[in-house]
């Protein structure tokens, strides 16, 4: 094997190993790239109990129940499916029924989403593109959702009141 052939073999092998590594990393991160999952996506994927993810949707009107020691339960819906959520802690000031919310946590064995963080959006007119598209498909779209005045900021407030930017 000549020197040129050996060099081309090493370069080709290196590129193949690099491509394989990139493919493995992208495959492992495939489910983690999504900013949040809707209740419909959770039902379709049959998420196993204990797996952490973000749940996003609208807080169902009439579902908010406050318990002892800052315990709160409510339902998050996306128009097709609902998922019960249990949270223990102080909710953001902007949290209310009918409001968009993103909660971080995991499902328990009973199918209840146990949240350890709850985020509520700042701007009433901001809505992630995926949610807006899903609402359009289901016929729940209001014309003023996409018409934010000026430069609307896609920010959220955590349960502790810290600002956190939303990912587009």
């Amino acid at each position: 094997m000549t020197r040129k052939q050996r060099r081309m073999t090493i370069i080709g092998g290196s590129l193949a190993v690099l491509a394989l590594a990139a493919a493995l990393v992208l495959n492992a991160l495939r489910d983690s790239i999504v900013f949040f999952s809707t209740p419909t996506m959770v039902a379709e994927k049959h998420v196993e109990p204990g797996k952490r993810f973000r749940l996003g949707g609208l807080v169902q009107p009439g579902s908010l129940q406050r318990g002892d020691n800052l315990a709160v339960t409510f339902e998050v819906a996306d128009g097709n499916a609902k998922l019960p959520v249990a949270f223990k802690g102080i909710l953001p000031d902007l949290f209310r029924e009918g409001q968009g919310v993103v909660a971080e946590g995991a499902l328990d064995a009973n199918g209840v989403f146990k949240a350890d963080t709850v985020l509520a959006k700042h701007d009433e007119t901001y809505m992630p593109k995926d949610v807006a598209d899903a609402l359009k498909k289901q016929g729940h779209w209001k014309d003023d959702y996409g018409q934010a005045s000026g430069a609307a900021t896609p920010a959220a407030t955590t349960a502790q009141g810290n600002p956190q930017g939303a990912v587009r």
Side-chain angles (χ1 to χ4, degrees):
M1 187 182 277
T2 66
R3 208 165 143 178
K4 186 175 182 178
Q5 289 174 331
R6 197 174 12 199
R7 186 179 320 136
M8 293 307 273
T9 303
I10 290 172
I11 290 172
S14 298
L15 289 175
V17 168
L18 184 63
L20 179 66
L24 289 174
V25 167
L26 290 175
N27 188 36
L29 294 176
R30 184 179 57 221
D31 288 336
S32 301
I33 291 174
V34 176
F35 182 62
F36 62 83
S37 298
T38 63
T40 301
M41 292 167 67
V42 172
E44 288 173 354
K45 289 183 180 179
H46 302 291
V47 177
E48 65 271 1
K51 182 180 178 190
R52 291 191 53 81
F53 64 96
R54 287 184 173 180
L55 175 68
L58 298 174
V59 178
Q60 279 295 105
S63 69
L64 181 62
Q65 297 177 352
R66 298 185 185 270
D68 296 334
N69 298 327
L70 301 176
V72 178
T73 60
F74 55 93
E75 288 183 340
V76 173
D78 63 356
N80 290 334
K82 292 189 263 187
L83 192 63
V85 177
F87 175 69
K88 188 171 185 175
I90 298 172
L91 291 169
D93 291 337
L94 297 174
F95 180 89
R96 65 181 173 275
E97 294 177 346
Q99 176 78 23
V101 68
V102 176
E104 297 179 50
L107 285 175
D108 67 3
N110 298 325
V112 176
F113 186 79
K114 298 289 187 180
D116 49 36
T117 305
V118 174
L119 305 166
K121 62 184 180 173
H122 279 280
D123 187 2
E124 295 289 329
T125 59
Y126 173 73
M127 183 172 299
K129 184 177 182 337
D130 296 341
V131 174
D133 291 343
L135 288 173
K136 282 181 185 177
K137 285 181 186 176
Q138 298 164 11
H140 297 289
W141 180 255
K142 295 180 186 173
D143 288 333
D144 60 347
Y145 281 151
Q147 299 172 0
S149 60
T153 57
T157 301
T158 64
Q160 292 78 22
N162 299 325
Q164 183 167 342
V167 177
R168 289 186 185 197

